[in-house]
Amino acid sequence: MTNYSGQVDPRSQLLEVIRQVRRRWRIKLALRGAVGFLLAGLVAILAVAYALEAFKFSPSSIFWFRIATAFALVAAGAWFFARPLSRKVTDEQVALYLEEHEPSLDSTILSAMEVSEKPGEWSPELIRRLVVHAIDRVHEIHEGERIEREPLRRYAWITGGVLVAALALFTFGPAYLRHTLSAIFVLS
């Protein structure tokens, strides 16, 4: 957002940093959700595979376990993706999150946001200086990218590991595992 002199509004810059932190936090939640979803789905499909093997892949057991698998996958999706990602997070909560994980900020972001929300109570120059100082501090820590870097990397590796393990299990494991995938997911 630019002001009448063509300069970028410092508060807008601060809010943009908050949006970036929120976006990375949501990506972290999505990757963590992917790990949970994949593990829950794998456990559900393995349980269905053992049950179908016990029921000798009868047509009625295939029908009912298709329904059970669908419910399990929808429930896992809702629990691991929809629930965490649907939570509304205010700018103040994101700023607090940033400051909790970057103690060097020393409440700079929260203070700047608080005073800029009440412009009538503070001198415009003081507000501008506080916000500019907060932006400078955030730039010093690279917009908080360090906070999410390690969890993002860890969840990405775990997701890949679960996928590779599941692929290996269903490719090289007992034949009834492959038959289960065919029976549950291939409609004929």
Side-chain angles (χ1 to χ4, degrees), residues 84-148:
L85 291 175
S86 66
R87 194 173 125 213
K88 300 294 181 213
V89 182
T90 66
D91 291 341
E92 289 76 20
Q93 289 171 315
V94 175
L96 182 61
Y97 173 79
L98 180 59
E99 291 199 8
E100 285 175 350
H101 289 83
E102 275 294 343
S104 67
L105 290 173
D106 240 3
S107 298
T108 307
I109 308 297
L110 285 170
S111 299
M113 289 184 67
E114 184 179 320
V115 299
S116 66
E117 288 174 355
K118 302 173 186 170
E121 297 177 20
W122 301 89
S123 149
E125 183 59 22
L126 177 63
I127 293 172
R128 189 190 70 71
R129 285 184 183 183
L130 278 170
V131 172
V132 168
H133 177 67
I135 291 168
D136 290 344
R137 294 292 306 277
V138 168
H139 288 319
E140 288 173 11
I141 61 160
H142 305 285
E143 287 74 28
E145 288 178 9
R146 179 177 58 188
I147 296 169
E148 302 301 343

Side-chain angles (χ1 to χ4, degrees), residues 5 10 23 25-26 35 40 49 69 79 97 103 109 119 138 184 188:
S5 65
R23 189 186 81 246
W25 178 70
R26 288 196 180 279
V35 169
T69 302
W79 182 261
Y97 173 79
I109 308 297
V138 168
I184 296 297
S188 49

